[in-house]
Amino acid sequence: MNQKVVSSITEALHRTEIKDGMTLSFHHHLRNGDYVLNLVMAAVRELGLKDMTINASAIFDCHLPLVDLIRDNTVTALECNYMGALVGRSISAGILEKPVIFRTHGGRPADLERGKAHIDIAFIAAPTTDTQGNISGKYGPSACGSLGYAFSDARYADKVVAVTDNLAPYPLTDFSIPETEVDYVVPVEQIGDPAGIVSGTTRITRDPIGLLMADMAAEAISASGLLQDGFSFQTGAGGASLAAAFALEKIMLREGIRGSFASGGITSQLVDMQKKGCFETLLDVQCFDLGAVESIRDNPQHREISASRYASPCTDDAVVDSLDVVILGATEVDTSFNVNVHTNSQGLIMGGSGGHSDTAAGAKLAIIIAPLMRARIPLIVDHMHTISTPGETVDMLVTQYGIAVNPNQVELADRLRQNRLKVISVEELQEIAENICGKPKALKNEGRIVAEVHYRDGSIIDTIRQACS
Amino acid sequence: MNQKVVSSITEALHRTEIKDGMTLSFHHHLRNGDYVLNLVMAAVRELGLKDMTINASAIFDCHLPLVDLIRDNTVTALECNYMGALVGRSISAGILEKPVIFRTHGGRPADLERGKAHIDIAFIAAPTTDTQGNISGKYGPSACGSLGYAFSDARYADKVVAVTDNLAPYPLTDFSIPETEVDYVVPVEQIGDPAGIVSGTTRITRDPIGLLMADMAAEAISASGLLQDGFSFQTGAGGASLAAAFALEKIMLREGIRGSFASGGITSQLVDMQKKGCFETLLDVQCFDLGAVESIRDNPQHREISASRYASPCTDDAVVDSLDVVILGATEVDTSFNVNVHTNSQGLIMGGSGGHSDTAAGAKLAIIIAPLMRARIPLIVDHMHTISTPGETVDMLVTQYGIAVNPNQVELADRLRQNRLKVISVEELQEIAENICGKPKALKNEGRIVAEVHYRDGSIIDTIRQACS
């Protein structure tokens, strides 16, 4: 039997035979409360290692120390599916020589499966693990629920290190990642800040424009013909998305519709809908709030799934491929329904695809909800800074001024009109916004390429350039 | 979304682009009630395919039609971890030109992981699957509980076909094998005969010799010093093994010992022990009876594990490596404590290692229980027909005439003596038997090699020769 428990992160680094130039991976289930990436990278710097690549499923603001690690060449390459604005701003400013590789939540495990990406050492933030490395996210002071994004790391990395603040006796019964995939276990004082890991509650928007769009989206789903028994659904944790789910709940309960599943990141709102019979099952790749963490621990109809099963494009049989409807956001949309979720109106990195383009590609009906203007900047532009999700996978754009339907969805537009929803062309929407705000000067970043956006199939769908300012 | 449900096994074979010479795999969770191997192979023969290799985790008597498939060259190679006497007799008679490859339950997934074995098409007997191939063994008319041996097949085969008699709506919540690993789903009338899949109950022996040995084994475990809180244990479904578990239960309850886990094939006896607090957890690679099937479905402390996690030698961190005690059987033992479970006293194939050598290698204390004579044939021989498990991994042999302890376990022998157990040398045991039965004439099969016994590390530990008669 291996003695896997080691005394410190530094000791684990020695055991893994870490070297300059290796790729280290991290998952983002502890979200903006994650301590593990910073703890590990501080130890890496301490050892004087250089030229490391970080492959993290997502980079949050709490990972700001990365900027210093980049400055002293401890880290010289970054790969992720999402990057918060704080680190994003530095990347956009050009601090990293190599372009960041942005993937999707499905493309990341797919690239590991198809050998397009390789991880030397995976660090798994483990809310609970036993002494042999059977890991669960459901228990312990830093419980985060699902560990969906960490499955591929554990499976494909050469070495796997579990970092935990809750070491349990062997064997942990309710394990998610099995001991056979884990090489070392490091107990530390705390793997994260509970306040940052999950929100206490995710809250439905109170903004009247958000509520208006949410109702329109729910009515559009009802009108689409997809809202029948067996209905499947995904939405995010944003205020308007939650409001749309709530509006949909009312329709489903009124009409007695029993859906099959809701998937993706799970919130208390979806947990409530499952309990009320709106969905048979929750397929959870990530828990967004405490209600979801409790539910995945206690409700056998609430199941953890890997990112690969959630969204991998390697075969056409991920969960996203069985989705009826997904509701998504956007920072920019163009008149071909292409969507930007990577950069803001100045072209600065402040997000990433996550599951955006995976679900848009898989779902029968992909709905974008976004206000037509934000701070007097129009949503719809002639030339977006970044294409995250191609327009041919987007079916509908819901704004407070009406719903634009992708011209390739003629029947859908008819159904909406028959249900007295306001259907309007995307060009008309653009005009409305420009009449209010004026046409913004096209800002084009002309600097060198600071990031590549890899579409789920592995192709480079766009690049992000260094910001002008 | 893929349409995975196809109308017939033949249709599935066409879709997988099956060709002469391919390797087809099967799992044995339906045991002697399995219909799937025969159904698939009948369709393969119907298509006129030749030269197929069958890699089945085990071959039972119900698979007798294999003999005809070998005779007409539909099948020209066999790989398994266990082979029942009915097919075994024909293999021993030499009907197959290529030697059968015998692996262990841990060596089989390990060989797939390390690329020493390859599966072109895996056929998963699926007691329940949804339309996208999320599979569970826990539900349906042919429920078998754990699908532990099928995990590696699903993961490593080029194509995976689920054959089911219980097609469920998407998504099956309590899945074991995810849709991402399954290509086709074939509904058939029946995948197995419930009477053969699991026993109604596995029964403790009533044979007084078996009960005597069981009590001695339990007392020896108690004397070994390993029977403390956290104790872990494995035993088989044979009458004497069950009786030993029952005897152990009495000691554990009397002394208030709370074990950590019982592993391997799970029986109602172990389910009862878990319920009574003897074990925190059951780690189940295979359910032996209906009580185990019900328990794995309803009891969250009863967990399904893959054969890889159960016993893979690829790393030293499978469940077997955390075992304190395992109780095993034998057809022959030699004076170096080597054990034969592949062939009978005539050298005819009638078994296989299964998890025998994996658990013996992993456990701190590996106990063989066997009567000193069977039908006037002594257990202990100078030269066994087949070495299944090397003597250096076997610690103790319990017979009705006393307990032989491996000479490398000096302290263990002392502990047994201190607890007034009868310790006797293996040579003395041999002499006792030979005084009663006479020394049997050494039968040596001299024919060509009909099977290779691959030890868990991949080395060939022995070969089996064509029987003389």
Side-chain angles (χ1 to χ4, degrees):
Chain A
M1 189 172 80
N2 283 336
Q3 286 303 327
K4 295 190 181 176
V5 179
V6 298
S7 60
S8 67
I9 288 173
T10 304
E11 173 67 14
L13 295 180
H14 284 303
R15 296 279 191 100
T16 59
E17 299 177 21
I18 191 170
K19 278 196 275 291
D20 288 351
M22 280 189 165
T23 297
L24 314 181
S25 89
F26 301 89
H27 69 79
H28 73 278
H29 289 281
L30 304 188
R31 304 177 62 76
N32 205 30
D34 175 54
Y35 291 169
V36 170
L37 189 149
N38 294 341
L39 280 171
V40 169
M41 292 312 300
V44 167
R45 168 190 268 162
E46 191 73 24
L47 292 178
L49 291 156
K50 297 289 175 191
D51 219 10
M52 312 309 285
T53 295
I54 288 185
N55 178 341
S57 51
I59 302 287
F60 282 81
D61 288 350
C62 64
H63 299 129
L64 187 63
L66 264 181
V67 171
D68 279 340
L69 292 159
I70 290 169
R71 287 219 177 89
D72 72 5
N73 290 323
T74 307
V75 172
T76 54
L78 264 182
E79 310 179 9
C80 63
N81 311 338
Y82 173 95
M83 182 180 287
L86 211 51
V87 177
R89 193 162 53 193
S90 293
I91 297 299
S92 282
I95 58 160
L96 188 62
E97 199 169 321
K98 275 189 217 164
V100 168
I101 295 176
F102 274 109
R103 295 191 179 88
T104 72
H105 281 339
R108 183 174 184 273
D111 273 359
L112 292 168
E113 287 160 34
R114 57 198 172 200
K116 283 194 59 175
H118 177 78
I119 298 169
D120 293 298
I121 312 171
F123 295 89
I124 314 279
T128 294
T129 174
D130 64 29
T131 48
Q132 287 290 298
N134 294 291
I135 300 173
S136 171
K138 298 175 188 172
Y139 310 93
S142 305
C144 61
S146 177
L147 287 175
Y149 298 115
F151 283 78
S152 303
D153 300 44
R155 186 176 298 177
Y156 292 103
D158 290 344
K159 294 284 166 65
V160 177
V161 179
V163 182
T164 193
D165 52 10
N166 192 37
L167 191 62
Y170 185 90
L172 181 66
T173 306
D174 189 8
F175 64 94
S176 296
I177 291 171
E179 59 190 303
T180 43
E181 295 179 347
V182 177
D183 299 289
Y184 303 104
V185 173
V186 189
V188 297
E189 203 168 314
Q190 238 185 323
I191 61 168
D193 172 7
I197 296 174
V198 286
S199 331
T201 51
T202 38
R203 224 182 281 270
I204 290 172
T205 185
R206 292 184 181 180
D207 162 40
I209 291 178
L211 288 172
L212 174 67
M213 295 190 298
D215 277 338
M216 287 167 72
E219 283 172 36
I221 291 168
S222 176
S224 73
L226 292 168
L227 195 61
Q228 303 174 354
D229 283 351
F231 174 70
S232 58
F233 179 63
Q234 179 165 337
T235 186
S241 298
L242 285 174
F246 186 67
L248 195 66
E249 174 186 324
K250 282 189 288 188
I251 297 174
M252 292 179 79
L253 292 177
R254 192 178 67 215
E255 301 188 3
I257 292 163
R258 297 186 65 88
S260 56
F261 70 89
S263 59
I266 301 296
T267 57
S268 295
Q269 168 61 29
L270 291 170
V271 168
D272 284 349
M273 290 176 79
Q274 193 275 333
K275 279 190 198 143
K276 289 175 182 162
C278 295
F279 300 107
E280 183 69 22
T281 300
L282 302 174
L283 299 177
D284 186 340
V285 73
Q286 174 179 21
C287 296
F288 280 129
D289 58 27
L290 281 177
V293 174
E294 280 165 22
S295 169
I296 201 172
R297 188 163 54 210
D298 301 328
N299 177 359
Q301 296 300 111
H302 184 161
R303 295 285 299 200
E304 184 177 26
I305 58 170
S306 70
S308 176
R309 180 169 168 213
Y310 166 48
S312 172
C314 273
T315 47
D316 293 338
D317 52 8
V319 169
V320 296
D321 297 302
S322 292
L323 260 182
D324 287 325
V325 175
V326 64
I327 296 180
L328 297 164
T331 61
E332 297 180 310
V333 179
D334 71 16
T335 53
S336 304
F337 288 83
N338 296 310
V339 177
N340 176 12
V341 287
H342 278 87
T343 47
N344 68 10
S345 60
Q346 298 172 280
L348 298 173
I349 294 168
M350 44 61 69
S353 183
H356 196 283
S357 54
D358 297 311
T359 49
K364 293 200 186 76
L365 175 59
I367 302 174
I368 306 292
I369 296 191
L372 198 57
M373 296 141 305
R374 287 190 184 96
R376 297 195 66 81
I377 297 171
L379 172 72
I380 301 166
V381 295
D382 292 330
H383 301 286
M384 304 193 302
H385 285 92
T386 315
I387 295 182
S388 308
T389 295
E392 61 262 32
T393 64
V394 173
D395 302 295
M396 188 192 288
L397 168 62
V398 176
T399 73
Q400 70 269 44
Y401 288 89
I403 301 176
V405 176
N406 191 316
N408 64 21
Q409 294 281 7
V410 179
E411 198 193 319
L412 177 63
D414 288 345
R415 283 172 181 268
L416 298 192
R417 279 192 208 95
Q418 281 157 22
N419 283 270
R420 287 184 233 113
L421 284 155
K422 184 174 177 190
V423 177
I424 182 169
S425 77
V426 68
E427 291 81 6
E428 284 175 283
L429 283 176
Q430 185 179 21
E431 208 183 309
I432 292 169
E434 290 178 358
N435 283 340
I436 298 169
C437 310
K439 197 176 182 84
K441 212 174 100 185
L443 257 177
K444 207 172 168 210
N445 291 330
E446 304 275 6
R448 65 178 182 79
I449 291 169
V450 296
E452 293 174 355
V453 180
H454 290 222
Y455 189 57
R456 61 200 306 261
D457 63 5
S459 65
I460 297 179
I461 188 172
D462 207 347
T463 55
I464 301 172
R465 288 183 180 270
Q466 193 174 357
C468 315
S469 55
Chain B
M1 190 172 79
N2 282 336
Q3 284 305 327
K4 295 189 181 177
V5 179
V6 299
S7 59
S8 67
I9 288 173
T10 305
E11 173 68 12
L13 296 179
H14 284 304
R15 297 280 190 97
T16 58
E17 300 177 20
I18 191 170
K19 277 195 276 291
D20 289 350
M22 279 187 165
T23 297
L24 313 181
S25 90
F26 301 89
H27 69 79
H28 73 278
H29 290 282
L30 304 188
R31 304 177 62 75
N32 205 30
D34 175 53
Y35 291 168
V36 170
L37 188 150
N38 294 341
L39 280 171
V40 169
M41 293 312 300
V44 167
R45 167 189 267 162
E46 191 73 27
L47 292 178
L49 291 156
K50 297 290 176 193
D51 220 9
M52 312 309 285
T53 295
I54 288 185
N55 178 342
S57 52
I59 301 287
F60 281 83
D61 288 351
C62 63
H63 299 129
L64 188 63
L66 263 182
V67 172
D68 279 340
L69 292 161
I70 290 170
R71 288 220 177 87
D72 72 4
N73 290 323
T74 307
V75 172
T76 54
L78 265 182
E79 308 178 10
C80 62
N81 310 341
Y82 174 95
M83 182 180 286
L86 210 51
V87 177
R89 195 162 52 195
S90 293
I91 297 299
S92 281
I95 58 162
L96 188 62
E97 199 169 321
K98 276 190 216 164
V100 168
I101 294 176
F102 274 108
R103 294 190 180 87
T104 72
H105 281 339
R108 182 174 185 273
D111 273 359
L112 291 168
E113 286 159 35
R114 55 199 171 199
K116 283 194 58 171
H118 177 78
I119 298 169
D120 293 298
I121 312 170
F123 295 89
I124 314 278
T128 293
T129 174
D130 64 28
T131 49
Q132 287 291 298
N134 293 291
I135 300 173
S136 171
K138 298 176 188 171
Y139 310 93
S142 305
C144 60
S146 177
L147 287 176
Y149 298 114
F151 283 77
S152 303
D153 300 44
R155 186 177 296 177
Y156 292 103
D158 290 344
K159 293 283 165 66
V160 177
V161 179
V163 182
T164 193
D165 53 10
N166 193 35
L167 192 61
Y170 184 91
L172 181 65
T173 307
D174 188 7
F175 64 94
S176 296
I177 292 172
E179 59 191 301
T180 42
E181 296 181 346
V182 178
D183 299 290
Y184 304 104
V185 173
V186 190
V188 297
E189 204 168 313
Q190 237 183 325
I191 61 168
D193 172 6
I197 296 173
V198 286
S199 331
T201 51
T202 39
R203 224 183 282 271
I204 290 172
T205 187
R206 293 184 181 179
D207 163 39
I209 291 178
L211 289 172
L212 174 68
M213 295 190 299
D215 278 338
M216 288 166 73
E219 282 172 38
I221 291 168
S222 177
S224 73
L226 293 167
L227 195 61
Q228 302 176 355
D229 283 351
F231 174 70
S232 57
F233 180 63
Q234 179 166 337
T235 187
S241 299
L242 284 175
F246 186 66
L248 195 66
E249 174 186 325
K250 282 189 288 189
I251 298 173
M252 292 179 79
L253 292 177
R254 193 179 64 217
E255 301 189 3
I257 291 163
R258 299 186 65 87
S260 56
F261 70 89
S263 58
I266 301 296
T267 57
S268 295
Q269 168 60 29
L270 291 170
V271 168
D272 284 349
M273 289 176 79
Q274 192 275 334
K275 279 191 198 142
K276 289 174 183 162
C278 295
F279 300 107
E280 183 70 22
T281 299
L282 301 173
L283 299 177
D284 186 341
V285 73
Q286 173 180 23
C287 296
F288 280 130
D289 58 28
L290 281 177
V293 174
E294 280 165 21
S295 170
I296 201 173
R297 188 163 53 211
D298 301 329
N299 176 358
Q301 295 300 110
H302 184 160
R303 294 284 301 200
E304 184 176 27
I305 58 170
S306 70
S308 177
R309 181 169 168 212
Y310 167 47
S312 172
C314 274
T315 47
D316 294 336
D317 52 7
V319 169
V320 297
D321 297 301
S322 293
L323 260 180
D324 286 325
V325 175
V326 65
I327 296 180
L328 298 164
T331 61
E332 298 179 309
V333 178
D334 71 16
T335 52
S336 304
F337 288 83
N338 296 310
V339 177
N340 176 13
V341 287
H342 278 87
T343 48
N344 67 11
S345 60
Q346 300 173 280
L348 297 173
I349 293 168
M350 44 59 70
S353 182
H356 196 284
S357 55
D358 297 310
T359 49
K364 291 199 186 77
L365 175 59
I367 302 173
I368 307 292
I369 295 191
L372 198 56
M373 296 141 304
R374 287 190 184 97
R376 298 195 65 80
I377 297 170
L379 171 72
I380 301 166
V381 295
D382 292 331
H383 301 286
M384 303 193 303
H385 285 93
T386 315
I387 296 182
S388 307
T389 296
E392 62 261 31
T393 64
V394 173
D395 303 295
M396 187 192 290
L397 168 63
V398 176
T399 73
Q400 70 270 44
Y401 290 89
I403 301 176
V405 176
N406 192 317
N408 64 21
Q409 293 282 5
V410 179
E411 197 193 318
L412 178 62
D414 289 345
R415 283 172 180 266
L416 298 191
R417 280 191 207 97
Q418 283 157 20
N419 283 270
R420 288 184 231 112
L421 284 155
K422 184 176 176 189
V423 178
I424 182 170
S425 77
V426 68
E427 291 81 6
E428 286 173 281
L429 283 176
Q430 185 180 20
E431 208 182 310
I432 293 169
E434 290 178 358
N435 284 339
I436 298 168
C437 311
K439 196 174 180 83
K441 213 175 99 186
L443 257 176
K444 206 170 168 213
N445 290 330
E446 303 277 4
R448 64 176 183 80
I449 291 169
V450 297
E452 291 173 357
V453 180
H454 290 222
Y455 189 57
R456 61 200 306 262
D457 63 6
S459 66
I460 297 179
I461 187 172
D462 208 347
T463 56
I464 301 173
R465 289 184 178 268
Q466 194 175 356
C468 314
S469 57

